[in-house]
Amino acid sequence: MALTDDISYLKGVGPQRAQLLGRELGIFTCADLLEHFPFRYVDRSHIVTLATMDINEPYVVLKGVVRNVNVVQSSKFSQRLTALFFDGTGEMELVWFQGIRWLETYLKPSVEYLIMGKPTLFDNTVQMVHPDIEPFVADDAGGNHSFVPVYSTTEKLKAKGLNSKGISRLVDTLLNQPGLVVPETIPPYILQKYKLMPRPYAMRGIHFPSSSQEMQQAMLRLKFEELFFMQLQHQQSRINRMRGTGLKFSLVGERFNRFYNEKIPFEMTGAQKRVIREVWTDMRSGRQMNRLLQGDVGSGKTMVALMTMLLAIDNGYQACLMAPTEILAQQHYANFCRMLDGMDISVELLVGSMKVSEKKKVKRRLKDGEIDILVGTHALIEDTVVFSNLGYVVIDEQHRFGVEQRARLWAKNSVPPHILVMTATPIPRTLAMTLYSDLDCSVIDEMPPGRQPVNTIHATDAQRLRLFGFMKRQIAEGRQVYVVYPLINESEGLDLKDLMDGYDSISRSFPMPDYQISIVHGKMQPDAKAYEMERFKKGETHIMVSTTVIEVGVDVPNATVMVIENAERFGLSQLHQLRGRVGRGGGASYCVLMTKDKLTPSAKQRIDTMCSTTDGFQIAEADLRLRGPGDIEGREQSGMLNLRLADIVDDEPIVRAARDEVRSILEADPELRHPDNQLLRRHIDSQQAKLSLAKIS
C-alpha cells in the first residue's frame, strides 16, 4: 500500500467512513491520515484515584472494576448504557450512548479495567461519558503501552466508531502495512547537523511513542520539517519575485517635491523618512515591490502611503488604497483630499454604499485615466473596476483581506504593480519570521513629536460614578469622549453591558440639552453612520457611544477619553487599537478599561499588560503568547499558519534554526540543483502537484 492511495482502501475504512473522514477532517489519502497527529497523550502509567481526581482535568486515567451494568430506555428510539465504576476510594457513573450491544457483553464484573476520559458533573453526580475502557494488564503501567495518543475527531465520526481510539487503530493498521514506504523529505546533511530523527521513525514515534524521549525526538523532527518547508516556500517566492520584472519608477517629480516642501504641516519623523527611502529604492529597482509596513497606532503610516503614491503618479501611473471598512476608506479619502487641496491630483472614492450612477461615473473616469488615486473597500477588486495604468497598490489593515482578494488587485495590470501592505497591529517578531518572511519589512518605530502616551486606567462598576464625574470634567474643558461596547443588543447567556442599555444609562447621566450624544454601530445604514461620525468630528456631540466599528479609521484629535466597557472580553490587540483613537491631540488623554470585579487569570493579565505599556510591539508579543498565532489578527485564524505541530512562540528556537538553514541553502543553491538537495526539490514538486490536484477537485 502507498501513502498516495485513497483512504477508502485501508482496512477498516471503506467508502462510507472514507467520505466522512474527508468531509470532517480533510483526510482523503493514507498520507493525510498519517499526518493527522495526536494533539496530546495520556500517560497510562499516571493512574489517579477517584478520591484524588481533579474534575477539571481534561483527561484522567483510573483503574478499577465495573458493576451494575444497565441499559436505560430514554425514549422509543434512544437508549443509553450506564454502569458504576469503583476503585476502592469512591464510585462514579459511566455512560455510553453508542456501541451498547457490544459493551453489554464486553463489561465483566470480575475484570479490572483502565478507564480513560473527561470527568464531568451532572446533577451533582460525577460521571464520565463515553470513556475509553480496556482490561488492565499488570505491565500496562510501563513498557510500550504507556503513552496513549489522543486524536481530534467529531461527533459524526464517533457515531461511526471513529473516536480517538478508532482513529488510532487505523493509524496502527496503516503503519503495519507490508511494504509501506514513508519517504524521507530532508537531506542527510541536515538530519546530521540538527540531530534529527529520520522521517519513518518520527512518524511511528509521534503516533505510538514507547517513551517520553522518543515522543519528544519525533516531535522535534516533524516541527522542524513543517517550519523548514514553510520558510523554504516563502524564501523561494521572494527570490522569484526579486528576479521577475516590475515597473520601474525613475523619477522623483514635481508633485512629490511640492507636497513635501509646501503641504506637510509638521516635521516628519526619521522613521517615516527612512521608510519612504526604502519604498523608493524598491520602486526604482525594476523589480516588483512587495513590502510590509508596520507602525503603531498614530505613527504616521498614512502620510508614508500618500507620499509614495505621489511617486507613482509622478511616473505616470495610477495608485489605489484598499481599506477593510467604509468608515476607514472614507477617512482616508477625506484626509487625502484635505492634504492634496490645491494640487492637480484627482482623488476619488469607491465603496459599496454609493449609488449605481456614482459608481459608473467613477469607473468610467478610472478606465479613461482621469483618476490618479482611487480609495475604496473590497469594491476595488470587482471585475468591472478597470484601471488605465495601475502602478501602485496600498492595502491598509492587510490582515483583514484574504490572499485571493489581494491577488485580484495585483492582476489589475499586465505588469504587477508595486505593493505596500500596512498594519497598525505590530506583528511579533516570531510571527513575522514565520508568516511574512517572503515580504520585505519596514517599521515606523517613532511617534510624531508632541504625541503623549495615553494614561490607561483599570476601573470596575463600583467606580462608575467617579468615572462619570471625570467625563463631565473633561467635557467641561471642551474635550470629547468615546464609550465602546462589545455588543449591540443584549446577548442571552453573556453577562455584558450592551450598547443600547449603555446608551440609555449614559443619556440619563448626561441629559440634554447640556450634553449631546452620538451612537454608532455596524448595523446602521452607512449614511446614518457617517452622519453621526461627522457630528462627533465637528464637535457637535460630546460623547460617542459605539461598538468596535470605530476601532480603525476615526481621527478626532479633540477626543481625549476612551471608555471600554467589558474590557476583559477584548483581545489585547483590539484594546490597543481602540486606545489609539485618543491621544491624537496635544493634551493628556485617558483610556479607562471597565471590567467586572472578578477576572480570570488571563483577563487580568491582559488588563495589567494594557495598563503597564503603550508599546504596540510589546502588546503584540503578549497577545501572541496569550492567544496563540491562530487568533492574533482576528480573521479566520485557526488555519492562518497551517501548522500541525509547531507553535511559533514556544518553538522560536526551531523557527530561527529553520529560517537560518533555508537562507544558507538558498544562498548557495537557489534552484536546489545540487545533488544533496534533490530530496528538497522532489518534496516541493510533490506538494505543488498535490496543490494543483486539490484546486482541480
Side-chain angles (χ1 to χ4, degrees):
M1 191 164 206
L3 288 177
T4 53
D5 287 349
D6 192 288
I7 192 66
S8 62
Y9 297 124
L10 181 67
K11 184 181 178 182
V13 181
Q16 282 191 343
R17 279 182 161 185
Q19 190 177 27
L20 206 55
L21 282 166
R23 192 165 63 240
E24 296 291 301
L25 295 177
I27 295 174
F28 299 98
T29 66
C30 292
D32 293 335
L33 176 64
L34 200 58
E35 292 174 5
H36 183 66
F37 300 121
F39 67 90
R40 71 165 179 262
Y41 301 86
V42 175
D43 183 358
R44 293 198 296 187
S45 65
H46 183 62
I47 297 172
V48 300
T49 66
L50 286 168
T52 60
M53 177 183 74
D54 182 354
I55 198 167
N56 296 311
E57 282 292 319
Y59 213 85
V60 297
V61 183
L62 300 155
K63 182 183 70 168
V65 295
V66 174
R67 300 174 190 158
N68 300 353
V69 178
N70 290 307
V71 176
V72 180
Q73 197 72 35
S74 306
S75 68
K76 184 178 179 181
F77 299 105
S78 66
Q79 55 183 205
R80 67 183 186 274
L81 184 141
T82 64
L84 280 179
F85 170 78
F86 298 84
D87 72 349
T89 69
E91 65 181 40
M92 176 176 66
E93 184 180 49
L94 307 179
V95 182
W96 290 270
F97 297 96
Q98 303 287 339
I100 292 173
R101 288 185 182 178
W102 177 80
L103 284 163
E104 277 187 288
T105 58
Y106 180 78
L107 297 175
K108 309 289 186 186
S110 58
V111 176
E112 195 170 33
Y113 292 98
L114 279 182
I115 306 288
M116 294 166 283
K118 169 75 175 85
T120 57
L121 267 181
F122 181 73
D123 282 346
N124 293 321
T125 302
V126 180
Q127 66 172 210
M128 193 177 284
V129 179
H130 275 279
D132 290 325
I133 182 166
E134 58 188 62
F136 173 74
V137 182
D139 66 354
D140 261 1
N144 294 332
H145 303 287
S146 290
F147 291 94
V148 179
V150 182
Y151 297 90
S152 60
T153 183
T154 68
E155 291 303 318
K156 289 181 180 178
L157 285 168
K158 288 176 185 176
K160 293 293 183 182
L162 291 178
N163 57 8
S164 175
K165 195 168 185 178
I167 292 174
S168 178
R169 278 195 292 266
L170 292 182
V171 176
D172 186 51
T173 299
L174 176 60
L175 286 171
N176 288 301
Q177 288 292 307
L180 181 76
V181 176
V182 178
E184 183 55 81
T185 59
I186 294 180
Y189 73 91
I190 299 178
L191 297 181
Q192 292 166 10
K193 180 177 179 179
Y194 295 98
K195 298 181 173 59
L196 298 174
M197 182 183 280
R199 197 168 193 262
Y201 294 106
M203 282 299 185
R204 185 168 291 279
I206 198 164
H207 287 289
F208 304 109
S210 59
S211 65
S212 175
Q213 184 181 11
E214 183 185 19
M215 178 178 65
Q216 289 168 3
Q217 287 177 344
M219 194 80 74
L220 172 64
R221 153 63 210 239
L222 294 169
K223 284 180 176 181
F224 182 91
E225 176 181 309
E226 67 178 353
L227 289 168
F228 177 87
F229 281 108
M230 175 177 282
Q231 290 290 328
L232 188 59
Q233 179 186 9
H234 285 181
Q235 294 294 340
Q236 280 194 309
S237 171
R238 181 175 184 168
I239 288 171
N240 292 336
R241 175 172 53 82
M242 297 296 282
R243 287 176 176 166
T245 57
L247 300 172
K248 188 169 185 177
F249 296 173
S250 55
L251 178 68
V252 178
E254 185 270 335
R255 292 178 179 86
F256 180 91
N257 285 317
R258 183 184 169 197
F259 184 86
Y260 183 75
N261 293 317
E262 300 176 14
K263 290 289 186 177
I264 301 178
F266 51 81
E267 177 64 27
M268 295 183 72
T269 65
Q272 286 176 305
K273 293 176 182 177
R274 184 189 69 243
V275 170
I276 290 173
R277 285 195 298 271
E278 290 168 352
V279 171
W280 172 235
T281 299
D282 285 350
M283 286 177 159
R284 63 184 177 181
S285 69
R287 298 186 297 266
Q288 187 212 12
M289 179 181 78
N290 206 15
R291 186 168 285 277
L292 173 70
L293 174 57
Q294 296 186 68
D296 214 338
V297 177
S299 60
K301 296 182 299 302
T302 303
M303 181 61 74
V304 169
L306 178 56
M307 293 188 68
T308 50
M309 283 177 167
L310 296 179
L311 290 171
I313 295 166
D314 275 338
N315 283 272
Y317 291 92
Q318 294 169 304
C320 73
L321 184 147
M322 184 165 72
T325 66
E326 289 201 4
I327 286 179
L328 185 51
Q330 288 162 349
Q331 186 81 44
H332 281 309
Y333 171 69
N335 283 338
F336 287 175
C337 290
R338 175 175 52 81
M339 290 189 283
L340 296 171
D341 183 43
M343 295 185 66
D344 183 24
I345 295 174
S346 171
V347 184
E348 287 290 354
L349 178 71
L350 185 64
V351 294
S353 64
M354 289 168 57
K355 295 177 181 177
V356 174
S357 59
E358 293 174 333
K359 289 181 186 176
K360 283 184 177 179
K361 182 180 177 182
V362 170
K363 290 174 184 177
R364 179 189 57 75
R365 295 187 63 229
L366 185 72
K367 188 176 181 179
D368 292 345
E370 297 173 12
I371 294 173
D372 298 309
I373 297 175
L374 181 64
V375 180
T377 56
H378 57 274
L380 299 188
I381 66 177
E382 293 174 1
D383 292 337
T384 55
V385 178
V386 179
F387 289 82
S388 169
N389 195 16
L390 180 63
Y392 185 40
V393 173
V394 178
I395 300 172
D396 199 10
E397 296 300 319
Q398 55 83 30
H399 59 267
R400 298 184 180 214
F401 294 104
V403 174
E404 298 83 3
Q405 290 175 303
R406 300 200 295 264
R408 287 178 67 181
L409 259 184
W410 304 345
K412 296 273 183 186
N413 197 345
S414 55
V415 178
H418 296 298
I419 310 293
L420 183 72
V421 291
M422 306 195 302
T423 176
T425 305
I427 298 166
R429 183 182 66 258
T430 48
L431 187 60
M433 278 196 307
T434 311
L435 188 60
Y436 299 109
S437 57
D438 60 328
L439 299 179
D440 299 307
C441 187
S442 293
V443 178
I444 300 180
D445 50 11
E446 291 179 62
M447 297 300 281
R451 286 291 295 264
Q452 297 184 31
V454 178
N455 300 292
T456 306
I457 302 154
H458 177 209
T460 62
D461 278 333
Q463 297 161 296
R464 189 169 296 280
L465 288 179
R466 288 177 60 190
L467 170 66
F468 283 175
F470 173 70
M471 289 165 60
K472 287 177 179 178
R473 288 195 296 275
Q474 286 285 304
I475 292 169
E477 293 174 11
R479 304 301 187 182
Q480 292 167 278
V481 179
Y482 295 106
V483 182
V484 177
Y485 292 87
L487 298 177
I488 296 174
N489 295 110
E490 188 175 357
S491 176
E492 187 177 350
L494 290 179
D495 180 24
L496 301 182
K497 292 278 185 189
D498 70 281
L499 179 137
M500 300 312 298
D501 178 58
Y503 177 75
D504 290 341
S505 173
I506 289 172
S507 297
R508 289 192 297 271
S509 298
F510 295 82
M512 294 177 64
D514 295 337
Y515 301 97
Q516 299 294 324
I517 303 172
S518 291
I519 183 167
V520 175
H521 57 75
K523 290 188 177 180
M524 293 171 64
Q525 290 297 318
D527 54 349
K529 196 188 307 178
Y531 172 72
E532 290 292 339
M533 298 284 285
E534 193 61 28
R535 288 178 67 211
F536 189 69
K537 281 180 65 177
K538 290 179 178 177
E540 295 172 3
T541 58
H542 304 102
I543 300 171
M544 174 178 283
V545 179
S546 171
T547 57
T548 54
V549 71
I550 60 130
E551 181 184 342
V552 292
V554 180
D555 188 1
V556 183
N558 193 50
T560 57
V561 180
M562 166 66 70
V563 179
I564 305 174
E565 294 285 355
N566 297 108
E568 72 275 13
R569 297 283 182 173
F570 293 88
L572 270 174
S573 291
Q574 197 171 32
L575 289 173
H576 184 58
Q577 284 282 332
L578 289 168
R579 178 168 62 184
R581 296 305 101 203
V582 294
R584 292 173 170 256
S589 293
Y590 305 87
C591 177
V592 183
L593 306 176
M594 297 294 294
T595 72
K596 57 187 179 183
D597 293 325
K598 292 184 179 179
L599 298 176
T600 64
S602 63
K604 187 175 187 308
Q605 196 173 348
R606 287 199 302 277
I607 299 301
D608 290 346
T609 300
M610 285 296 296
C611 292
S612 64
T613 182
T614 56
D615 186 310
F617 286 91
Q618 286 186 31
I619 287 168
E621 291 283 355
D623 204 19
L624 183 65
R625 292 187 178 278
L626 283 169
R627 295 201 291 159
D631 228 10
I632 196 71
E633 289 182 335
R635 62 179 174 91
E636 294 174 353
Q637 295 294 325
S638 58
M640 184 176 72
L641 292 177
N642 199 25
L643 295 174
R644 298 173 185 268
L645 290 171
D647 180 292
I648 63 169
V649 176
D650 295 339
D651 298 321
E652 183 176 348
I654 308 176
V655 173
R656 195 176 295 279
R659 182 197 59 179
D660 292 346
E661 188 62 33
V662 165
R663 282 183 177 174
S664 175
I665 290 169
L666 291 180
E667 282 174 9
D669 184 21
E671 299 289 338
L672 299 178
R673 298 191 184 280
H674 192 279
D676 288 348
N677 292 326
Q678 289 312 292
L679 269 180
L680 301 179
R681 178 79 266 162
R682 280 201 298 273
H683 180 67
I684 290 170
D685 289 344
S686 70
Q687 293 302 109
Q688 288 176 343
K690 186 193 295 185
L691 186 63
S692 298
L693 287 171
K695 285 184 176 178
I696 292 169
S697 64

